[in-house]
Amino acid sequence: KGLSSAFCMSKARVEASPAFKKLQFEYGNFKIRYAFVSQRGYYPDDLQKLNQDAHVEVENFGVGEGVKEADMAFFGVFDGHGSLGTPCARFPRDHLPKELQNKLMEFPEDFERAHTEAFRKVNVDLHTSDVDDTLSGTTATTCLFHKGKIYVANVGDSRTVLAQAAPESSKITAFSLSSDQTPFRKDERERVKKAGARVATVDQLEAIWRGDEQIAMNDDFGDNDETGGDEGDGDPPRVWLQNEDSPGCAFTRSFGDSIGEQVGVFADPEVVCKQLTSNDKFILLASDGVWEFLSNQTVVDMVKEFKSPLKAAKAVVQEAYKLWLQYDVRTDDITMICIFLEEMGKLDAVHAAENPEPKQVVRGPPRNRRLSDAQRGSISLGIAGRGSVAPVDHRSGSVAAGVHMGGKIIKENEERRVRRTMTKAKRTVVQGDSGNDSRPSNRPEEGWSFTQKDISP
Protein backbone atom coordinates (compact mmCIF):
# COMPACT_ATOMS: atom_id res chain seq x y z
CA LYS A 1 0.00 0.00 0.00
CA GLY A 2 1.42 3.36 -1.02
CA LEU A 3 4.38 1.77 -2.83
CA SER A 4 5.12 2.10 -6.49
CA SER A 5 4.72 -1.09 -8.50
CA ALA A 6 8.06 -0.53 -10.21
CA PHE A 7 10.17 0.10 -7.14
CA CYS A 8 8.69 -1.75 -4.16
CA MET A 9 11.12 -2.05 -1.25
CA SER A 10 11.40 -5.56 0.10
CA LYS A 11 10.44 -6.34 3.68
CA ALA A 12 13.98 -7.56 4.29
CA ARG A 13 15.35 -4.11 3.57
CA VAL A 14 12.78 -1.77 5.13
CA GLU A 15 10.75 -1.64 8.32
CA ALA A 16 7.89 0.83 8.65
CA SER A 17 4.77 1.45 10.65
CA PRO A 18 1.87 -0.40 9.00
CA ALA A 19 -0.08 2.83 9.57
CA PHE A 20 0.47 5.98 11.58
CA LYS A 21 -0.63 5.89 15.21
CA LYS A 22 -2.65 8.44 17.17
CA LEU A 23 -2.21 9.50 20.77
CA GLN A 24 -4.05 12.09 22.86
CA PHE A 25 -2.57 13.63 25.99
CA GLU A 26 -4.74 14.57 28.94
CA TYR A 27 -2.65 17.63 29.73
CA GLY A 28 -3.74 20.28 27.24
CA ASN A 29 -5.87 17.78 25.30
CA PHE A 30 -3.48 17.94 22.35
CA LYS A 31 -2.85 15.05 20.00
CA ILE A 32 0.02 13.55 18.09
CA ARG A 33 0.14 11.30 15.06
CA TYR A 34 3.40 9.45 14.52
CA ALA A 35 5.11 6.83 12.37
CA PHE A 36 8.55 5.40 11.79
CA VAL A 37 10.53 4.17 8.79
CA SER A 38 13.86 2.34 9.02
CA GLN A 39 15.76 1.54 5.82
CA ARG A 40 18.58 -0.98 5.92
CA GLY A 41 21.75 0.27 4.25
CA TYR A 42 22.98 -0.94 0.88
CA TYR A 43 26.54 -2.31 0.88
CA PRO A 44 27.65 -3.89 -2.43
CA ASP A 45 30.28 -6.01 -0.68
CA ASP A 46 27.91 -7.15 2.09
CA LEU A 47 24.36 -7.32 0.74
CA GLN A 48 23.05 -9.08 3.86
CA LYS A 49 24.53 -6.65 6.38
CA LEU A 50 22.14 -6.08 9.26
CA ASN A 51 20.45 -2.75 9.88
CA GLN A 52 22.48 -1.10 12.64
CA ASP A 53 19.77 1.48 13.39
CA ALA A 54 17.14 0.91 16.07
CA HIS A 55 14.14 2.89 17.26
CA VAL A 56 11.57 2.86 20.05
CA GLU A 57 8.11 4.36 20.56
CA VAL A 58 6.49 4.06 24.00
CA GLU A 59 2.96 5.35 24.59
CA ASN A 60 1.72 5.85 28.18
CA PHE A 61 5.33 5.95 29.27
CA GLY A 62 5.66 5.15 32.97
CA VAL A 63 2.10 3.98 33.54
CA GLY A 64 2.07 1.28 36.19
CA GLU A 65 5.67 2.00 37.16
CA GLY A 66 4.93 4.33 40.06
CA VAL A 67 5.63 7.53 38.13
CA LYS A 68 3.21 10.27 39.10
CA GLU A 69 1.24 12.06 36.36
CA ALA A 70 2.36 9.52 33.80
CA ASP A 71 0.73 11.30 30.86
CA MET A 72 3.91 10.74 28.86
CA ALA A 73 5.28 9.27 25.65
CA PHE A 74 8.86 8.39 24.76
CA PHE A 75 10.57 8.14 21.37
CA GLY A 76 14.14 7.31 20.42
CA VAL A 77 16.42 6.64 17.45
CA PHE A 78 19.74 4.80 17.85
CA ASP A 79 22.45 4.55 15.19
CA GLY A 80 24.87 1.69 15.81
CA HIS A 81 28.42 1.47 14.49
CA GLY A 82 31.26 -1.00 14.49
CA SER A 83 31.14 -4.74 13.89
CA LEU A 84 28.57 -5.16 16.68
CA GLY A 85 26.63 -1.98 15.96
CA THR A 86 23.30 -3.79 15.74
CA PRO A 87 23.26 -5.26 19.28
CA CYS A 88 24.79 -2.04 20.61
CA ALA A 89 21.90 -0.02 19.15
CA ARG A 90 19.30 -2.48 20.38
CA PHE A 91 20.64 -2.46 23.94
CA PRO A 92 19.60 1.13 24.81
CA ARG A 93 16.47 0.67 22.73
CA ASP A 94 15.47 -2.16 25.07
CA HIS A 95 16.80 -0.79 28.36
CA LEU A 96 16.77 3.02 28.28
CA PRO A 97 12.97 3.49 28.60
CA LYS A 98 12.81 1.39 31.78
CA GLU A 99 15.91 3.00 33.24
CA LEU A 100 14.59 6.50 32.53
CA GLN A 101 11.36 5.58 34.32
CA ASN A 102 13.43 4.53 37.34
CA LYS A 103 15.44 7.74 37.35
CA LEU A 104 12.33 9.92 36.99
CA MET A 105 11.05 8.31 40.18
CA GLU A 106 14.38 9.08 41.84
CA PHE A 107 14.62 12.65 40.50
CA PRO A 108 11.01 13.69 39.79
CA GLU A 109 11.82 17.41 39.81
CA ASP A 110 14.98 17.25 37.72
CA PHE A 111 14.37 15.74 34.30
CA GLU A 112 17.82 16.67 33.03
CA ARG A 113 19.52 14.78 35.82
CA ALA A 114 17.14 11.85 35.36
CA HIS A 115 18.11 11.64 31.69
CA THR A 116 21.82 11.92 32.46
CA GLU A 117 21.74 9.25 35.17
CA ALA A 118 19.65 6.92 32.97
CA PHE A 119 22.02 7.29 30.01
CA ARG A 120 25.02 6.66 32.26
CA LYS A 121 23.46 3.57 33.85
CA VAL A 122 22.55 2.04 30.48
CA ASN A 123 26.07 2.73 29.23
CA VAL A 124 27.61 0.93 32.22
CA ASP A 125 25.20 -1.96 31.75
CA LEU A 126 26.18 -2.21 28.08
CA HIS A 127 29.86 -2.38 29.06
CA THR A 128 29.16 -5.30 31.39
CA SER A 129 26.72 -7.12 29.11
CA ASP A 130 27.45 -9.95 26.71
CA VAL A 131 27.87 -7.41 23.88
CA ASP A 132 31.51 -6.60 23.15
CA ASP A 133 31.42 -2.81 22.85
CA THR A 134 35.19 -2.35 22.77
CA LEU A 135 35.08 -0.84 19.29
CA SER A 136 31.31 -0.74 18.74
CA GLY A 137 28.56 1.49 20.06
CA THR A 138 25.61 3.67 19.15
CA THR A 139 24.52 7.27 19.03
CA ALA A 140 21.07 8.21 20.32
CA THR A 141 18.48 10.96 20.18
CA THR A 142 15.38 10.73 22.35
CA CYS A 143 12.24 12.79 22.98
CA LEU A 144 10.05 12.56 26.08
CA PHE A 145 6.60 14.20 26.16
CA HIS A 146 5.40 15.34 29.60
CA LYS A 147 2.83 17.97 30.63
CA GLY A 148 2.92 19.89 27.37
CA LYS A 149 6.71 19.91 27.19
CA ILE A 150 9.29 17.80 25.41
CA TYR A 151 12.67 16.81 26.78
CA VAL A 152 15.18 16.02 24.05
CA ALA A 153 18.42 14.21 24.89
CA ASN A 154 21.18 13.21 22.50
CA VAL A 155 24.59 11.62 22.32
CA GLY A 156 26.45 11.65 19.00
CA ASP A 157 25.16 12.82 15.64
CA SER A 158 21.62 11.48 15.42
CA ARG A 159 19.31 14.47 15.55
CA THR A 160 15.93 15.82 16.66
CA VAL A 161 14.43 18.71 14.69
CA LEU A 162 11.40 20.87 15.41
CA ALA A 163 9.25 22.51 12.73
CA GLN A 164 7.83 25.78 13.98
CA ALA A 165 5.56 28.33 12.33
CA ALA A 166 6.17 32.02 12.85
CA PRO A 167 3.23 33.76 14.60
CA GLU A 168 0.61 34.87 12.09
CA SER A 169 2.59 33.36 9.24
CA SER A 170 2.43 30.23 7.14
CA LYS A 171 6.21 29.92 6.96
CA ILE A 172 7.59 26.80 8.67
CA THR A 173 11.16 26.99 9.98
CA ALA A 174 13.41 24.15 11.07
CA PHE A 175 15.07 24.34 14.48
CA SER A 176 17.51 21.74 15.72
CA LEU A 177 16.72 20.55 19.24
CA SER A 178 20.07 18.78 19.42
CA SER A 179 23.62 19.67 18.49
CA ASP A 180 25.75 17.00 16.83
CA GLN A 181 28.54 15.98 19.17
CA THR A 182 31.51 15.48 16.89
CA PRO A 183 35.09 16.77 16.76
CA PHE A 184 33.87 19.48 14.37
CA ARG A 185 32.50 21.16 17.51
CA LYS A 186 35.31 23.07 19.15
CA ASP A 187 33.94 22.64 22.67
CA GLU A 188 33.64 18.88 22.23
CA ARG A 189 37.05 18.67 20.58
CA GLU A 190 38.67 20.47 23.49
CA ARG A 191 36.81 18.34 26.02
CA VAL A 192 38.10 15.02 24.67
CA LYS A 193 41.61 16.44 24.27
CA LYS A 194 41.60 17.34 27.96
CA ALA A 195 40.64 13.73 28.62
CA GLY A 196 43.78 12.61 26.77
CA ALA A 197 42.58 12.16 23.20
CA ARG A 198 44.29 13.01 19.98
CA VAL A 199 41.95 14.59 17.42
CA ALA A 200 43.02 14.17 13.82
CA THR A 201 41.79 13.14 10.40
CA VAL A 202 43.16 10.03 8.71
CA ASP A 203 45.12 12.33 6.39
CA GLN A 204 46.70 13.95 9.44
CA LEU A 205 47.70 10.56 10.82
CA GLU A 206 49.37 9.80 7.51
CA ALA A 207 51.12 13.17 7.74
CA ILE A 208 52.43 12.21 11.18
CA TRP A 209 53.84 9.00 9.70
CA ARG A 210 55.50 11.07 6.94
CA GLY A 211 56.82 13.60 9.46
CA ASP A 212 54.85 16.51 7.95
CA GLU A 213 54.22 18.43 11.19
CA GLN A 214 52.49 21.40 9.53
CA ILE A 215 49.62 19.24 8.31
CA ALA A 216 49.69 16.97 11.34
CA MET A 217 49.32 19.80 13.86
CA ASN A 218 46.46 21.68 12.15
CA ASP A 219 43.63 21.74 14.67
CA ASP A 220 41.05 23.82 12.81
CA PHE A 221 38.33 21.61 11.36
CA GLY A 222 36.02 24.05 9.64
CA ASP A 223 35.77 26.59 12.47
CA ASN A 224 35.90 29.36 9.91
CA ASP A 225 35.42 29.77 6.19
CA GLU A 226 39.10 29.52 5.30
CA THR A 227 40.14 26.28 7.00
CA GLY A 228 38.97 22.78 7.57
CA GLY A 229 38.49 22.00 3.90
CA ASP A 230 35.30 20.74 2.33
CA GLU A 231 33.35 19.02 5.11
CA GLY A 232 32.35 16.49 2.48
CA ASP A 233 35.92 15.29 2.04
CA GLY A 234 34.98 11.98 3.63
CA ASP A 235 37.83 12.40 6.11
CA PRO A 236 36.36 13.99 9.26
CA PRO A 237 38.35 14.63 12.44
CA ARG A 238 38.32 11.59 14.68
CA VAL A 239 39.09 10.73 18.31
CA TRP A 240 42.18 8.56 18.87
CA LEU A 241 44.13 7.24 21.83
CA GLN A 242 47.32 9.16 22.47
CA ASN A 243 49.71 6.40 21.41
CA GLU A 244 47.52 4.17 19.26
CA ASP A 245 45.66 4.65 15.99
CA SER A 246 42.44 3.54 17.65
CA PRO A 247 39.43 3.83 18.02
CA GLY A 248 38.95 6.58 15.40
CA CYS A 249 35.51 7.77 16.59
CA ALA A 250 33.97 10.44 14.34
CA PHE A 251 31.77 11.50 17.29
CA THR A 252 32.53 12.54 20.85
CA ARG A 253 29.63 10.94 22.75
CA SER A 254 27.97 7.56 22.42
CA PHE A 255 26.77 4.45 24.19
CA GLY A 256 29.42 1.74 24.19
CA ASP A 257 32.83 2.42 22.59
CA SER A 258 34.62 1.43 25.79
CA ILE A 259 38.04 2.13 24.23
CA GLY A 260 36.94 5.63 23.27
CA GLU A 261 35.59 6.19 26.77
CA GLN A 262 39.18 6.19 28.02
CA VAL A 263 39.63 9.52 26.22
CA GLY A 264 36.30 11.21 26.84
CA VAL A 265 33.84 9.52 24.48
CA PHE A 266 31.05 9.03 27.00
CA ALA A 267 27.27 8.73 27.14
CA ASP A 268 26.35 11.89 29.06
CA PRO A 269 23.58 13.50 26.99
CA GLU A 270 22.91 17.12 26.23
CA VAL A 271 19.31 17.83 27.24
CA VAL A 272 16.91 20.58 26.21
CA CYS A 273 13.39 21.27 27.44
CA LYS A 274 10.89 22.78 25.01
CA GLN A 275 7.44 24.00 26.00
CA LEU A 276 5.14 23.10 23.13
CA THR A 277 2.85 25.76 21.65
CA SER A 278 0.39 26.03 18.80
CA ASN A 279 3.24 27.32 16.63
CA ASP A 280 4.98 23.94 16.83
CA LYS A 281 3.91 21.72 13.94
CA PHE A 282 5.96 18.52 13.98
CA ILE A 283 9.03 16.84 15.44
CA LEU A 284 11.52 14.65 13.58
CA LEU A 285 13.99 12.19 15.11
CA ALA A 286 16.44 10.63 12.67
CA SER A 287 19.80 8.92 12.36
CA ASP A 288 22.55 10.67 10.44
CA GLY A 289 21.66 8.65 7.36
CA VAL A 290 18.97 11.28 6.83
CA TRP A 291 21.08 14.33 7.67
CA GLU A 292 24.17 13.35 5.68
CA PHE A 293 22.90 15.03 2.52
CA LEU A 294 19.73 16.85 3.59
CA SER A 295 19.62 20.03 5.66
CA ASN A 296 17.17 20.44 8.51
CA GLN A 297 15.15 22.97 6.51
CA THR A 298 15.05 20.78 3.42
CA VAL A 299 13.62 17.89 5.41
CA VAL A 300 11.05 20.13 7.11
CA ASP A 301 10.02 21.55 3.72
CA MET A 302 9.43 18.02 2.48
CA VAL A 303 7.48 16.83 5.51
CA LYS A 304 5.14 19.82 5.63
CA GLU A 305 3.72 18.83 2.23
CA PHE A 306 2.24 15.60 3.57
CA LYS A 307 -0.96 14.88 5.47
CA SER A 308 0.36 11.58 6.82
CA PRO A 309 3.46 11.28 9.05
CA LEU A 310 4.06 7.81 7.62
CA LYS A 311 4.09 9.01 4.03
CA ALA A 312 6.21 11.99 5.02
CA ALA A 313 8.80 9.73 6.67
CA LYS A 314 8.82 7.44 3.64
CA ALA A 315 9.41 10.39 1.32
CA VAL A 316 12.36 11.68 3.38
CA VAL A 317 13.95 8.23 3.63
CA GLN A 318 13.52 7.75 -0.12
CA GLU A 319 15.18 11.07 -0.89
CA ALA A 320 18.07 10.42 1.50
CA TYR A 321 18.54 6.96 0.01
CA LYS A 322 18.62 8.40 -3.51
CA LEU A 323 21.22 11.01 -2.55
CA TRP A 324 23.45 8.41 -0.92
CA LEU A 325 23.49 6.46 -4.20
CA GLN A 326 24.17 9.66 -6.12
CA TYR A 327 27.24 10.57 -4.05
CA ASP A 328 28.52 7.20 -2.91
CA VAL A 329 28.62 3.53 -3.89
CA ARG A 330 26.69 2.52 -0.76
CA THR A 331 24.07 3.89 1.59
CA ASP A 332 23.98 4.22 5.33
CA ASP A 333 21.11 2.83 7.38
CA ILE A 334 18.38 5.49 7.41
CA THR A 335 15.79 5.81 10.19
CA MET A 336 13.20 8.47 10.98
CA ILE A 337 10.35 8.95 13.45
CA CYS A 338 7.91 11.63 12.33
CA ILE A 339 5.55 13.15 14.94
CA PHE A 340 2.76 15.52 13.88
CA LEU A 341 1.46 17.88 16.62
CA GLU A 342 -2.26 18.66 16.45
CA GLU A 343 -4.99 20.55 18.30
CA MET A 344 -2.46 22.57 20.25
CA GLY A 345 -4.71 25.56 21.00
CA LYS A 346 -5.95 24.23 24.34
CA LEU A 347 -2.38 23.61 25.41
CA ASP A 348 -1.61 27.31 24.89
CA ALA A 349 -4.48 28.19 27.21
CA VAL A 350 -3.26 25.77 29.89
CA HIS A 351 0.27 27.17 29.72
CA ALA A 352 -1.03 30.73 29.92
CA ALA A 353 -3.12 29.92 32.99
CA GLU A 354 -0.20 28.24 34.77
CA ASN A 355 2.38 30.84 33.72
CA PRO A 356 0.70 34.26 33.66
CA GLU A 357 4.03 36.07 33.35
CA PRO A 358 6.40 33.77 31.47
CA LYS A 359 10.02 34.77 31.38
CA GLN A 360 11.26 35.85 27.99
CA VAL A 361 14.51 34.54 26.55
CA VAL A 362 16.38 37.25 24.67
CA ARG A 363 19.55 36.91 22.68
CA GLY A 364 21.46 39.28 20.49
CA PRO A 365 22.26 38.93 16.80
CA PRO A 366 24.46 36.04 15.69
CA ARG A 367 27.98 36.37 14.43
CA ASN A 368 28.26 37.54 10.86
CA ARG A 369 28.75 34.45 8.73
CA ARG A 370 28.44 33.86 5.05
CA LEU A 371 25.92 31.08 4.73
CA SER A 372 24.24 29.39 1.81
CA ASP A 373 20.49 28.88 1.87
CA ALA A 374 21.03 25.18 2.59
CA GLN A 375 23.30 26.00 5.52
CA ARG A 376 20.86 28.52 6.97
CA GLY A 377 18.20 25.88 7.36
CA SER A 378 20.43 23.54 9.34
CA ILE A 379 22.03 25.66 12.03
CA SER A 380 22.06 24.75 15.69
CA LEU A 381 23.38 26.56 18.75
CA GLY A 382 26.09 24.75 20.68
CA ILE A 383 26.55 24.95 24.45
CA ALA A 384 29.75 23.83 26.09
CA GLY A 385 29.78 20.89 28.44
CA ARG A 386 26.86 18.70 29.38
CA GLY A 387 24.11 21.30 29.24
CA SER A 388 21.25 22.10 26.94
CA VAL A 389 21.11 23.20 23.34
CA ALA A 390 18.78 26.00 22.31
CA PRO A 391 17.37 25.90 18.78
CA VAL A 392 18.00 29.15 16.97
CA ASP A 393 17.31 30.68 13.58
CA HIS A 394 20.42 32.66 12.66
CA ARG A 395 18.54 34.78 10.17
CA SER A 396 16.70 36.54 12.99
CA GLY A 397 18.86 35.60 15.98
CA SER A 398 15.73 34.45 17.83
CA VAL A 399 15.49 31.37 20.00
CA ALA A 400 12.66 29.03 19.07
CA ALA A 401 9.60 29.92 21.14
CA GLY A 402 9.22 28.10 24.44
CA VAL A 403 12.77 26.83 24.90
CA HIS A 404 13.94 26.63 28.50
CA MET A 405 17.58 27.61 28.70
CA GLY A 406 17.95 26.42 32.29
CA GLY A 407 20.20 29.33 33.19
CA LYS A 408 23.07 27.95 31.12
CA ILE A 409 25.49 30.27 29.36
CA ILE A 410 25.58 30.29 25.58
CA LYS A 411 29.19 29.92 24.55
CA GLU A 412 29.08 30.20 20.77
CA ASN A 413 27.03 29.67 17.64
CA GLU A 414 27.86 26.69 15.54
CA GLU A 415 26.70 25.94 12.05
CA ARG A 416 25.84 22.44 10.93
CA ARG A 417 26.70 22.10 7.28
CA VAL A 418 25.25 19.70 4.80
CA ARG A 419 27.98 17.10 4.40
CA ARG A 420 29.01 15.13 1.38
CA THR A 421 30.66 11.79 1.92
CA MET A 422 33.14 12.36 -0.90
CA THR A 423 34.50 15.25 -2.90
CA LYS A 424 33.84 15.14 -6.63
CA ALA A 425 37.45 14.09 -7.28
CA LYS A 426 37.27 11.21 -4.84
CA ARG A 427 33.93 10.06 -6.23
CA THR A 428 35.48 9.97 -9.70
CA VAL A 429 38.23 7.70 -8.44
CA VAL A 430 35.80 5.36 -6.72
CA GLN A 431 32.92 5.40 -9.19
CA GLY A 432 34.56 6.33 -12.47
CA ASP A 433 33.34 9.09 -14.78
CA SER A 434 30.09 10.62 -13.51
CA GLY A 435 28.50 10.12 -16.90
CA ASN A 436 29.14 6.40 -16.78
CA ASP A 437 27.24 4.77 -13.93
CA SER A 438 29.60 2.04 -12.75
CA ARG A 439 27.54 0.94 -9.77
CA PRO A 440 26.86 -2.78 -9.44
CA SER A 441 24.06 -4.23 -11.53
CA ASN A 442 22.28 -5.49 -8.39
CA ARG A 443 21.60 -1.89 -7.47
CA PRO A 444 18.83 -1.55 -4.83
CA GLU A 445 15.32 -0.29 -5.38
CA GLU A 446 14.58 3.42 -5.69
CA GLY A 447 11.83 3.62 -3.07
CA TRP A 448 8.27 4.85 -2.69
CA SER A 449 6.14 6.96 -4.99
CA PHE A 450 3.28 9.23 -3.98
CA THR A 451 0.10 10.56 -5.53
CA GLN A 452 -1.31 14.06 -5.27
CA LYS A 453 -3.83 12.95 -2.62
CA ASP A 454 -0.92 12.23 -0.28
CA ILE A 455 0.17 15.87 -0.41
CA SER A 456 -1.37 18.64 1.66
CA PRO A 457 -3.45 21.06 -0.41
Side-chain angles (χ1 to χ4, degrees):
K1 182 178 180 180
L3 307 184
S4 81
S5 58
F7 303 112
C8 184
M9 289 185 173
S10 68
K11 292 182 179 179
R13 189 166 293 280
V14 66
E15 176 192 12
S17 303
F20 64 75
K21 294 186 177 181
K22 302 177 182 179
L23 180 63
Q24 181 166 357
F25 293 91
E26 292 182 10
Y27 185 93
N29 291 316
F30 72 98
K31 299 178 181 179
I32 64 173
R33 291 186 296 137
Y34 69 90
F36 68 84
V37 174
S38 186
Q39 168 74 55
R40 180 161 62 89
Y42 172 67
Y43 297 85
D45 57 347
D46 189 1
L47 294 176
Q48 302 305 315
K49 183 177 180 180
L50 294 175
N51 188 345
Q52 293 189 312
D53 284 359
H55 58 91
V56 65
E57 302 81 26
V58 184
E59 298 182 5
N60 302 316
F61 180 78
V63 172
E65 300 295 338
V67 179
K68 295 181 179 179
E69 300 176 340
D71 188 24
M72 304 190 216
F74 179 79
F75 301 87
V77 168
F78 310 90
D79 184 357
H81 50 261
S83 61
L84 295 176
T86 298
C88 282
R90 292 175 179 176
F91 192 91
R93 178 199 67 182
D94 297 339
H95 295 86
L96 184 59
K98 173 65 174 179
E99 194 57 47
L100 182 56
Q101 290 172 359
N102 293 338
K103 296 304 180 183
L104 286 172
M105 287 189 285
E106 187 175 352
F107 308 106
E109 304 301 322
D110 191 343
F111 275 48
E112 181 176 354
R113 182 174 181 183
H115 276 84
T116 300
E117 295 295 335
F119 275 58
R120 288 176 176 174
K121 178 63 164 57
V122 172
N123 193 43
V124 170
D125 290 347
L126 175 57
H127 292 335
T128 57
S129 72
D130 293 336
V131 180
D132 182 0
D133 67 351
T134 305
L135 292 171
S136 297
T138 184
T139 65
T141 188
T142 66
C143 180
L144 175 67
F145 284 76
H146 177 58
K147 296 190 71 172
K149 300 175 182 177
I150 54 173
Y151 297 83
V152 174
N154 81 293
V155 291
D157 56 4
S158 294
R159 193 180 305 169
T160 297
V161 170
L162 170 73
Q164 189 176 86
E168 301 179 358
S169 171
S170 60
K171 181 175 177 57
I172 306 294
T173 302
F175 293 96
S176 183
L177 293 176
S178 59
S179 180
D180 297 358
Q181 296 145 352
T182 75
F184 280 112
R185 267 179 58 177
K186 186 175 181 179
D187 60 334
E188 285 292 285
R189 186 164 70 243
E190 293 303 317
R191 182 182 62 78
V192 296
K193 287 170 64 178
K194 288 180 180 178
R198 287 184 299 161
V199 178
T201 66
V202 173
D203 284 348
Q204 286 178 315
L205 289 185
E206 293 176 350
I208 293 174
W209 301 334
R210 296 193 306 267
D212 190 336
E213 292 297 324
Q214 184 174 359
I215 296 177
M217 297 305 294
N218 176 32
D219 194 28
D220 189 346
F221 303 104
D223 289 330
N224 59 58
D225 292 334
E226 305 301 326
T227 60
D230 185 349
E231 195 172 331
D233 197 312
D235 186 21
R238 296 177 179 273
V239 179
W240 312 88
L241 299 180
Q242 197 62 234
N243 299 311
E244 296 182 33
D245 295 339
S246 174
C249 299
F251 41 83
T252 54
R253 304 192 192 199
S254 70
F255 287 104
D257 296 293
S258 58
I259 293 294
E261 194 170 37
Q262 299 176 24
V263 287
V265 180
F266 60 17
D268 284 21
E270 290 180 313
V271 184
V272 62
C273 173
K274 168 73 173 71
Q275 178 176 292
L276 296 173
T277 74
S278 56
N279 293 324
D280 301 324
K281 302 306 179 184
F282 52 86
I283 299 166
L284 309 171
L285 293 79
S287 61
D288 71 339
V290 168
W291 313 113
E292 189 75 18
F293 301 104
L294 294 169
S295 71
N296 295 349
Q297 189 62 50
T298 298
V299 174
V300 164
D301 288 343
M302 292 177 64
V303 170
K304 72 180 182 181
E305 298 300 325
F306 287 84
K307 301 175 184 178
S308 162
L310 177 57
K311 291 174 180 176
K314 288 179 177 180
V316 171
V317 169
Q318 173 190 356
E319 182 65 15
Y321 194 71
K322 181 181 72 175
L323 289 171
W324 271 96
L325 290 175
Q326 178 179 341
Y327 288 110
D328 206 338
V329 295
R330 66 173 184 94
T331 79
D332 197 0
D333 303 316
I334 306 169
T335 299
M336 169 175 277
I337 300 174
C338 181
I339 307 169
F340 283 9
L341 306 172
E342 299 176 336
E343 300 183 23
M344 305 292 287
K346 293 181 180 179
L347 183 60
D348 285 348
V350 172
H351 284 320
E354 293 186 351
N355 303 278
E357 295 182 0
K359 296 181 180 180
Q360 298 296 320
V361 179
V362 180
R363 77 170 265 101
R367 294 184 298 178
N368 183 22
R369 286 195 176 206
R370 295 173 291 174
L371 302 174
S372 67
D373 290 340
Q375 290 167 352
R376 290 181 188 276
S378 57
I379 297 174
S380 59
L381 185 68
I383 294 181
R386 181 175 60 88
S388 304
V389 177
V392 63
D393 177 0
H394 281 219
R395 289 165 291 187
S396 65
S398 61
V399 174
V403 173
H404 292 223
M405 303 295 289
K408 297 178 176 64
I409 299 173
I410 299 171
K411 297 295 185 182
E412 63 177 295
N413 297 340
E414 198 167 295
E415 65 180 68
R416 170 64 164 85
R417 300 172 180 171
V418 178
R419 299 178 300 189
R420 293 198 304 272
T421 300
M422 301 181 187
T423 61
K424 183 176 180 180
K426 287 189 176 182
R427 285 200 310 277
T428 300
V429 173
V430 174
Q431 296 175 272
D433 186 88
S434 59
N436 179 19
D437 189 352
S438 58
R439 287 183 290 234
S441 59
N442 58 347
R443 169 178 177 173
E445 308 87 351
E446 293 287 342
W448 289 274
S449 66
F450 302 91
T451 63
Q452 185 60 38
K453 69 179 181 179
D454 299 327
I455 310 298
S456 300

